[in-house]
Amino acid sequence: MNAAAVRILVTGGTFDKNYDELEGQLRFRATHVPEMLELGRSRIAVEVETLMLIDSLEMTDAHRARIVERCRAAPESRSVVTHGTDTMELTARALHAAALPKTIVLTGAMVPYTFGSSDGLFNLGRALAFAQSLPAGVFVAMNGRCLSGARVRKDRSNGVFIECD
């Protein structure tokens, strides 16, 4: 059994984008999660696993199935999934439908971590706290809130996540 308390599954999204000055576009190089954990002075045991580095708009049902399977196969009972915000609600619903007997918290960022004014560090910290303290289920940690993975929705007009009935 792995000694880690929480498995962090990295999928990409704005969380891990970098600005490519030559191309003038946001691109992926590698995950920033280990650096973020160090900067946040995290002292919990984690296992960071990079599944993919893609924009969530490019995420397919096959990608979501891979996320579900990795959550299922992880030896830890608690996981945090970093994810792009555009389709986070779809992955949350796929994980909810899988009914895994684990605590799974999805989180992301509206601004890339490398921009310095990102909400990513705060969201990652909140997701780790929620993952350690909540019962089994699927949740989304964004905007300082913890929302039901089954009922979460991105309110694009206000740039926040909300729960629907």
Side-chain angles (χ1 to χ4, degrees), residues 14-17 32 36 39 108-124 142:
T14 300
F15 218 77
D16 279 319
K17 286 185 176 178
H32 300 295
M36 294 168 77
L39 182 62
M110 300 295 218
V111 177
Y113 165 73
T114 56
F115 282 20
S117 61
S118 176
D119 54 332
L121 190 60
F122 177 76
N123 290 338
L124 179 61
M142 289 292 295

Side-chain angles (χ1 to χ4, degrees), residues 131-145:
Q132 293 176 84
S133 59
L134 290 171
V138 178
F139 307 91
V140 170
M142 289 292 295
N143 314 115
R145 301 178 65 206

Side-chain angles (χ1 to χ4, degrees), residues 117-163:
S117 61
S118 176
D119 54 332
L121 190 60
F122 177 76
N123 290 338
L124 179 61
R126 297 292 294 174
L128 286 167
F130 289 137
Q132 293 176 84
S133 59
L134 290 171
V138 178
F139 307 91
V140 170
M142 289 292 295
N143 314 115
R145 301 178 65 206
C146 182
L147 307 166
S148 164
R151 297 189 318 266
V152 71
R153 182 175 66 81
K154 184 176 180 179
D155 177 351
R156 294 177 191 289
S157 63
N158 292 307
V160 297
F161 282 79
I162 59 173
E163 277 188 18

Side-chain angles (χ1 to χ4, degrees), residues 13-62:
T14 300
F15 218 77
D16 279 319
K17 286 185 176 178
N18 293 286
Y19 182 69
D20 182 329
E21 295 174 7
L22 298 177
E23 297 282 328
Q25 296 181 351
L26 293 172
R27 301 216 185 270
F28 295 103
R29 291 186 194 127
T31 184
H32 300 295
V33 169
E35 178 183 342
M36 294 168 77
L37 293 168
E38 186 175 327
L39 182 62
R41 301 177 54 85
S42 175
R43 298 295 180 253
I44 66 167
V46 298
E47 183 70 33
V48 179
E49 178 181 348
T50 302
L51 295 181
M52 60 197 82
L53 287 171
I54 63 173
D55 188 295
S56 72
L57 289 173
E58 298 172 5
M59 193 171 283
T60 65
D61 288 341

Side-chain angles (χ1 to χ4, degrees), residues 5-6 77-80 103-105 126-134:
V6 178
S77 63
R78 300 175 182 281
S79 295
V80 168
T103 304
I104 302 167
V105 181
R126 297 292 294 174
L128 286 167
F130 289 137
Q132 293 176 84
S133 59
L134 290 171

